[in-house]
């Protein structure tokens, strides 16, 4: 690896980040701007503001994200996990691109995330971005490279976020109201682990409290018990609003949720039944999710701005005792998905 400690002068070295191609053409159009905001969040959270001058630059007819900084090898290890990173280079004084070795958190083959295909699946790059910026808002941000954190997706669907957490070497907890989605995720993960010949155990069992059935649980333990490097993924077929019936307070470092968009997806509340308005779900669910966070934990929610305003969502978070992250970078994740969906992110931290 080249010396990236700032040999390029007092301002440090200059870097060029090659953006990963996206199978989703619409998302690809927004990826450079989203990557700029994500890079700024990394800079403020774990790089000590050692990243500056973030800009889009065309080099040899190819679009790059360029920036300056005095970055250590550990800094580069953080940046290796940027959701849009394909390759990272140092720009030399004579205008050449010198490739840097990047070591992302990637415990398994990426087909763990790319194989599942189904209607309504969230773009994998966006899922990783949402998880990243939520982690970076939490007290666990400096440790994201070092220890097995716990990620909770309380609206997990068929498990894209859970699989990204597994890729990072983390523990994953999911809650999903649709039993067919839970069964589909269980079948996929069991098959994938067997095909990859990864040591694991998996079972499905009922969860009872006071002799009352409160959830159906799929649980997989992945890894070698003797080495101590085990990961646990647990998915509950249950109502997220009832999560405290089967999960203890403070069980998660971060909560990451892709809220119903209010178009083809519905949400359920005990009071109203099926609803196309995600705010009705979030008003009931966010206070519960806040209880599940450890002190210093963070919740990240993506939602459709056509059906709910940012101020409305922020008020729900504040009323639940959370502190909304409101820096310019955190306010610049909005992007167009289709005619009915403009997606944005709100991240809030538990004191």
């Amino acid at each position: 690896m080249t010396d990236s400690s700032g040999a390029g002068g007092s301002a440090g070295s200059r870097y060029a980040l090659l953006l990963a191609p996206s199978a989703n053409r619409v998302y690809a159009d927004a990826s450079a701007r989203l990557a700029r905001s994500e890079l700024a969040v990394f800079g403020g959270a774990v790089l000590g503001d050692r990243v500056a001058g973030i800009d889009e630059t065309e080099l040899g007819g190819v679009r790059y994200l360029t920036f300056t900084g005095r970055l250590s090898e550990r800094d580069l290890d953080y940046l290796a996990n940027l959701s849009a990173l394909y390759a990272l280079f140092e720009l030399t004084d004579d205008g050449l691109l010198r490739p840097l070795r990047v070591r992302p958190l990637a415990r398994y083959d990426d087909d763990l995330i790319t194989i599942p295909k189904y209607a309504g699946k969230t773009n994998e790059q966006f899922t990783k971005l949402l998880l990243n910026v939520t982690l970076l808002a939490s007290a666990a941000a400096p440790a994201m490279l070092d220890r097995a954190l716990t990620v909770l997706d309380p609206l997990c669907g068929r498990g894209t976020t859970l699989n990204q957490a597994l890729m990072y070497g983390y523990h994953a907890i999911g809650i999903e109201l649709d039993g067919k989605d839970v069964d589909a995720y269980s079948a996929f993960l069991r098959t994938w682990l067997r095909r990859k010949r990864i040591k694991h155990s998996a079972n499905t069992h009922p969860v009872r409290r006071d002799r009352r059935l409160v959830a159906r649980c799929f649980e997989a333990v992945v890894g070698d018990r003797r080495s101590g490097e085990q990961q646990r993924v647990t998915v509950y077929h249950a109502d997220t609003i009832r999560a405290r019936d089967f999960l203890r307070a403070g069980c998660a470092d971060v909560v990451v949720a892709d809220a119903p968009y209010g178009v083809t997806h519905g949400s359920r509340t005990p009071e109203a039944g099926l609803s196309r308005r995600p705010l009705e779900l979030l008003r009931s669910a966010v206070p519960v999710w806040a209880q599940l966070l450890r002190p210093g934990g963070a919740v990240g929610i993506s939602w459709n701005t056509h059906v709910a305003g940012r101020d409305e969502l922020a008020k729900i978070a504040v009323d639940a005792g959370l502190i909304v992250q409101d820096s310019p970078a955190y306010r610049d994740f909005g992007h167009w998905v289709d005619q009915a969906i403009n997606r944005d992110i709100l991240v809030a931290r538990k004191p």
Side-chain angles (χ1 to χ4, degrees):
M1 179 184 291
T2 185
D3 178 8
S4 57
S5 60
S10 59
S13 299
R14 189 169 180 232
Y15 299 91
L17 185 156
L18 180 61
L19 297 170
S22 175
N24 185 313
R25 181 177 177 182
V26 173
Y27 189 82
D29 290 341
S31 63
R33 179 177 56 80
L34 296 176
R36 289 182 62 171
S37 296
E38 185 183 3
L39 179 56
V41 170
F42 266 92
V46 292
L47 304 181
D49 292 318
R50 292 186 295 277
V51 169
I54 304 171
D55 202 1
E56 295 179 46
T57 306
E58 189 173 291
L59 302 170
V62 177
R63 184 174 56 166
Y64 291 82
L65 204 64
T66 56
F67 58 97
T68 58
R70 290 180 171 273
L71 303 182
S72 66
E73 287 197 13
R74 184 170 176 83
D75 293 336
L76 294 177
D77 287 344
Y78 282 118
L79 293 182
N81 298 292
L82 279 160
S83 64
L85 184 141
Y86 189 69
L88 185 64
F89 303 89
E90 184 180 5
L91 276 168
T92 66
D93 292 338
D94 52 4
L96 298 178
L97 293 172
R98 181 176 296 155
L100 298 174
R101 181 186 176 192
V102 293
R103 297 176 295 185
L105 293 169
R107 178 163 291 195
Y108 307 107
D109 296 338
D110 63 5
D111 60 0
L112 172 62
I113 294 174
T114 59
I115 283 178
K117 304 291 183 185
Y118 51 88
K121 181 183 178 182
T122 303
N123 178 282
E124 296 100 336
Q125 285 186 17
F126 177 75
T127 297
K128 187 174 181 179
L129 182 150
L130 177 59
L131 176 56
N132 281 346
V133 299
T134 308
L135 280 168
L136 292 166
S138 74
M144 67 178 288
L145 301 177
D146 306 315
R147 63 183 177 90
L149 305 176
T150 298
V151 176
L152 167 63
D153 184 346
L155 303 169
C156 70
R158 295 195 184 184
T160 305
T161 299
L162 307 182
N163 289 342
Q164 181 59 60
L166 288 175
M167 284 289 288
Y168 273 180
Y170 299 164
H171 305 296
I173 303 171
I175 305 171
E176 176 52 47
L177 189 60
D178 189 333
K180 292 181 180 179
D181 282 350
V182 175
D183 292 340
Y185 180 72
S186 167
F188 164 75
L189 188 62
R190 290 172 191 261
T191 300
W192 188 88
L193 290 168
R194 286 197 299 266
R195 186 168 58 83
K196 295 291 183 176
R197 298 183 178 179
I198 296 172
K199 288 186 177 181
H200 69 281
S201 61
N203 66 84
T204 300
H205 57 86
V207 179
R208 300 182 185 276
R209 293 292 181 269
D210 301 323
R211 300 182 180 181
R212 177 173 57 93
L213 180 67
V214 294
R216 180 169 60 94
C217 176
F218 164 69
E219 185 173 48
V221 179
V222 183
D224 188 343
R225 179 178 298 177
R226 289 171 296 180
S227 70
E229 294 186 359
Q230 288 186 316
Q231 293 173 263
R232 189 179 300 273
V233 56
T234 312
V235 184
Y236 295 93
H237 174 205
D239 189 335
T240 189
I241 296 171
R242 305 297 186 192
R244 289 290 285 115
D245 289 346
F246 47 86
L247 288 174
R248 61 179 174 81
C251 65
D253 293 288
V254 293
V255 172
V256 178
D258 192 15
Y261 292 156
V263 182
T264 59
H265 302 289
S267 57
R268 292 186 183 274
T269 65
E271 299 80 9
L274 182 64
S275 170
R276 300 293 181 188
R277 292 180 55 80
L279 282 178
E280 294 175 0
L281 170 68
L282 295 174
R283 286 193 184 99
S284 300
V286 171
V288 178
W289 301 346
Q291 294 178 45
L292 300 175
L293 282 174
R294 296 182 178 124
V299 56
I301 302 170
S302 64
W303 88 103
N304 180 9
T305 63
H306 289 320
V307 297
R310 184 180 187 86
D311 290 344
E312 294 174 288
L313 193 56
K315 185 178 186 304
I316 291 173
V318 170
D319 289 347
L322 304 174
I323 302 169
V324 174
Q325 305 301 292
D326 211 29
S327 69
Y330 273 105
R331 293 186 67 93
D332 197 29
F333 287 116
H335 59 284
W336 189 82
V337 176
D338 62 30
Q339 291 182 358
I341 301 171
N342 190 79
R343 186 165 53 194
D344 204 351
I345 292 173
L346 184 133
V347 177
R349 176 168 168 158
K350 185 173 182 176

